[in-house]
Amino acid sequence: LAPGSWLLFYTTMIIPFFIPHSGCPHQCVFCNQKKITGESRQADAAAIPQTVRKYLDSHTGQEPVEIAFYGGSFTALPFESQRTYLNAASPFLASGKIQGIRLSTRPDAISRGIVSLLQEYRVSTVELGAQSMDDSVLIRSGRGHTAADTRNAARLLREHHFTIGLQLMPGLPGDSSETFMKTVDRVIELQPDFVRIYPALVIKNTPLQGLFTAGLYSPLSLEEAVSLCGSALRQFNQAGINVIRIGLQPSEELERPGTIVAGPYHPAFRQLVESSLFLDVMRAEFVEQRRDKGTAVFRVNPADLSVATGQKRSNVTVLSLEFGIDVRILPEESIPRGTIHLHVEPATHDGCPP
């Protein structure tokens, strides 16, 4: 793989509708969808056409457009509720104004009957909130489903040619770096089309806050989460599985003081993860060409410059301190995205670069 092969991009325009907690039969320890999504009310099906038209009127790009139902367990809703939402969305699909309908749901809310309903309305993408493939972690997190449910749902959806996404959450109660990386291995075996990775956060007014306050749960540190997600990102992309999001989408509600009680939140979390992978590659490249004196000049595509440099030039600082050498990271148009070229400029006799 090229050094930057973790850099994959998702270019579909999403028109989101949130149904927080709707259809969910369980209270997961980490979940407060109203805080996470910033949406306190369930989407009104009658208002969907007007909202979609507003999005389409402002859409000037060439990327495909999809309607998405997020925030609850869509296929756990009563059939008539599912039909009401899908009836509001399907005319835009029939007319060609959108190219797909996607939804998120629980792994144990997928059955042959559900699949038939989704096929009837030409739903194209189903995201499963797997979170973990370790049953003990799922039990301690109050998920109410098993790893087998995720495997069965993914296989049934694959059998009927849906695009499949899996959502994962490292750092849950009972989880560890070892168990999460086993989850990554098991997810790769299922060959989803894409994954999302959301490190567990302690959100206000959740059972996890109670566990944290009582000293019964410790979230990942930011450094631990970045390292773990970096390892997962590397493995998923080696397997050809696109990681379309890492870390929660920043929102006004999520960033309101007190919403996040503890945990590895950062508004640019994915950038931290990708910067850490660039750092690993630059470190390895420099070790191969190591010189005692001089300047290490890394050249990257201009679009990669900020990620390669790191926030507040952190990668430059780390490499300079670690190897005792001057480090420069420069943009160059001819360098392919995700690729790093290193040239070590030798020092002159006075110890300075020429």
Side-chain angles (χ1 to χ4, degrees):
L1 293 176
S5 57
W6 57 83
L7 293 174
L8 299 174
F9 301 93
Y10 190 66
T11 57
T12 299
M13 174 182 171
I14 300 295
I15 304 176
F17 294 95
F18 293 96
I19 52 171
H21 280 305
S22 298
C24 294
H26 298 274
Q27 171 61 62
C28 302
V29 295
F30 54 81
C31 192
N32 183 336
Q33 281 290 342
K34 293 176 182 178
K35 292 289 187 184
I36 292 171
T37 65
E39 299 287 337
S40 59
R41 293 185 298 175
Q42 185 169 319
D44 178 7
I48 286 176
Q50 181 181 2
T51 301
V52 173
R53 282 191 285 268
K54 285 183 178 179
Y55 270 87
L56 293 176
D57 287 344
S58 65
H59 178 53
T60 58
Q62 299 300 312
E63 70 270 22
V65 181
E66 295 185 352
I67 291 174
F69 295 100
Y70 291 142
S73 295
F74 189 92
T75 61
L77 292 169
F79 265 49
E80 286 310 308
S81 296
Q82 295 182 55
R83 286 186 181 277
T84 298
Y85 281 121
L86 294 172
N87 278 327
S90 60
F92 295 96
L93 186 61
S95 67
K97 293 181 178 179
I98 68 167
Q99 286 66 56
I101 298 173
R102 64 171 53 218
L103 54 88
S104 59
T105 193
R106 297 171 53 83
D108 56 349
I110 294 293
S111 65
R112 293 195 177 275
I114 289 293
V115 165
S116 295
L117 176 67
L118 301 184
Q119 287 182 309
E120 177 185 344
Y121 285 93
R122 295 168 57 197
V123 171
S124 53
T125 301
V126 178
E127 297 190 38
L128 301 172
Q131 317 309 356
S132 175
M133 295 297 286
D134 185 287
D135 283 339
S136 65
V137 173
L138 294 172
I139 290 170
R140 292 182 63 175
S141 300
R143 286 295 296 164
H145 68 80
T146 65
D149 290 324
T150 299
R151 288 192 293 270
N152 293 337
R155 287 165 183 164
L156 183 58
L157 292 167
R158 177 70 66 208
E159 178 184 328
H160 291 86
H161 309 293
F162 287 88
T163 298
I164 304 167
L166 291 180
Q167 300 169 6
L168 304 178
M169 189 171 288
L172 289 169
D175 204 6
S176 66
S177 57
E178 292 78 14
T179 56
F180 180 70
M181 293 312 296
K182 287 180 182 178
T183 283
V184 170
D185 291 338
R186 290 166 183 167
V187 167
I188 288 172
E189 291 173 1
L190 296 177
Q191 283 296 294
D193 298 285
F194 64 89
V195 299
R196 300 177 192 259
I197 306 175
Y198 299 118
L201 302 175
V202 180
I203 303 295
K204 183 179 180 180
N205 296 332
T206 61
L208 199 57
Q209 182 185 10
L211 294 175
F212 173 75
T213 302
L216 300 176
Y217 169 74
S218 296
L220 294 170
S221 68
L222 183 61
E223 183 178 359
E224 290 169 334
V226 166
S227 176
L228 192 56
C229 290
S231 297
L233 179 58
R234 185 184 295 109
Q235 287 195 210
F236 280 127
N237 283 279
Q238 287 173 348
I241 297 170
N242 198 358
V243 180
I244 66 172
R245 173 159 288 281
I246 309 175
L248 287 177
Q249 175 74 31
S251 68
E252 183 179 346
E253 177 61 36
L254 193 62
E255 296 192 329
R256 193 184 306 277
T259 295
I260 298 175
V261 178
Y265 175 75
H266 191 285
F269 185 80
R270 182 172 189 135
Q271 184 182 23
L272 295 182
V273 173
E274 291 179 345
S275 290
S276 75
L277 295 182
F278 262 107
L279 177 60
D280 290 343
V281 174
M282 289 189 290
R283 181 184 286 119
E285 289 286 318
F286 181 74
V287 167
E288 281 192 18
Q289 300 189 38
R290 183 165 182 175
R291 311 278 180 85
D292 290 335
K293 300 288 185 181
T295 299
V297 180
F298 295 95
R299 287 182 167 82
V300 300
N301 186 278
D304 294 336
L305 182 62
S306 63
V307 175
T309 304
Q311 290 198 346
K312 299 180 180 179
R313 296 179 55 82
S314 58
N315 285 354
V316 173
T317 300
V318 168
L319 291 170
S320 297
L321 292 175
E322 187 170 327
F323 295 108
I325 191 171
D326 292 331
V327 174
R328 299 170 67 193
I329 303 177
L330 304 177
E332 187 170 313
E333 290 285 354
S334 64
I335 305 296
R337 284 297 309 270
T339 300
I340 295 171
H341 286 188
L342 169 63
H343 172 67
V344 179
E345 298 178 350
T348 59
H349 67 278
D350 61 357
C352 298

